[in-house]
Amino acid sequence: NQRKPKAVVVDATAVYWLTEKLVERAPKKGGGTEFVVKDPARLNRFDKATGQVSALASGFDMAHYLVIDAEALYVGSRSWGNDGIVKVPKDGSASTQLVKKDDAKVEDIALDDTHVFWTHGDGKVMKVPKAGGKPVLVYAGRTLKPNELSTIGDLAVDASGAYFADSGQFVRTRQGDRWVVDQQPGFVKGVKTTGGKPTLFVYDLKYPKSMAT
């Protein structure tokens, strides 16, 4: 009875996953209808010892990405969602929004010992301290033109750096009454977690994704 479960992570005692919110059309006062959230998106927990399933946190909008460390889980919202990046302690204490929606535009998230990293919808790699603080720019691609879309996506982090995939810029041009989209080649790059000049590992790829270190 789980609504579109996704983003499964695990530790020694439990399994965690996200479920989507339930939105239904309902009558509107004065006539017509409106969409109403009947049940919010949740972060769920399955206890390996007892077999019990519980909601560790709820009220998310477009929660889609989930990573875990020894103390907490970190939930990332899709670019158009309202959640940003939220830290959820495993002990059930209050959640903390580390990054607001307008600063997040999350495409993927990853962790090192001290920071949460994410690929940003504007073609950047960002990080924020796990304890809270100001987001910091790690990598910035070239400035996009109005007819270009960023395709930076999947991300992995280790002690040496942050590694990310980019499917290649989408360039939109108007031809008569329709838009034509041309996709440039994708690539995989890496950059030190403190920032600096990136290293190009592979170029001329088609839809690179699912990074790991």
Side-chain angles (χ1 to χ4, degrees):
N1 193 27
Q2 298 290 311
R3 188 169 49 259
K4 296 184 179 180
K6 55 190 172 184
V8 179
V9 296
V10 63
D11 64 13
T13 61
V15 181
Y16 307 85
W17 67 95
L18 298 170
T19 50
E20 292 189 3
K21 66 182 178 182
L22 173 63
V23 180
E24 295 182 351
R25 190 184 294 272
K28 187 178 181 180
K29 293 181 178 180
T33 60
E34 62 182 340
F35 286 102
V36 176
V37 177
K38 294 293 186 180
D39 191 22
R42 302 178 187 276
L43 169 56
N44 305 279
R45 181 182 189 274
F46 171 82
D47 190 298
K48 293 179 181 179
T50 66
Q52 295 297 311
V53 176
S54 59
L56 188 61
S58 65
F60 297 108
D61 178 30
M62 294 293 292
H64 191 77
Y65 307 97
L66 182 64
V67 289
I68 188 172
D69 66 13
E71 304 297 331
L73 296 107
Y74 303 83
V75 180
S77 169
R78 282 189 178 275
S79 294
W80 54 87
N82 294 318
D83 306 309
I85 297 175
V86 179
K87 179 180 180 179
V88 182
K90 290 182 182 179
D91 62 9
S93 55
S95 301
T96 303
Q97 187 178 49
L98 296 178
V99 185
K100 295 181 179 179
K101 168 192 173 183
D102 293 340
D103 296 324
K105 296 184 178 179
V106 179
E107 298 298 331
D108 198 11
I109 55 178
L111 304 174
D112 70 2
D113 290 342
T114 59
H115 287 78
V116 182
F117 292 76
W118 75 99
T119 41
H120 188 287
D122 288 341
K124 301 181 287 189
V125 177
M126 304 287 295
K127 69 178 182 179
V128 66
K130 291 179 179 179
K134 184 178 180 180
V136 175
L137 177 68
V138 177
Y139 163 85
R142 65 181 179 83
T143 302
L144 299 177
K145 298 177 181 179
N147 68 326
E148 295 177 338
L149 300 174
S150 172
T151 51
I152 193 169
D154 292 351
L155 174 69
V157 174
D158 64 15
S160 301
Y163 312 90
F164 55 94
D166 192 311
S167 297
Q169 306 292 350
F170 285 103
V171 181
R172 300 178 298 176
T173 56
R174 191 79 176 182
Q175 293 186 6
D177 60 351
R178 64 191 182 97
W179 287 99
V180 176
V181 178
D182 177 48
Q183 185 184 11
Q184 300 175 7
F187 56 81
V188 173
K189 284 184 177 181
V191 63
K192 291 182 178 180
T193 56
T194 53
K197 185 178 180 179
T199 299
L200 176 63
F201 293 118
V202 189
Y203 183 68
D204 201 18
L205 300 173
K206 186 173 183 180
Y207 300 114
K209 56 185 177 181
S210 299
M211 302 292 293
T213 59

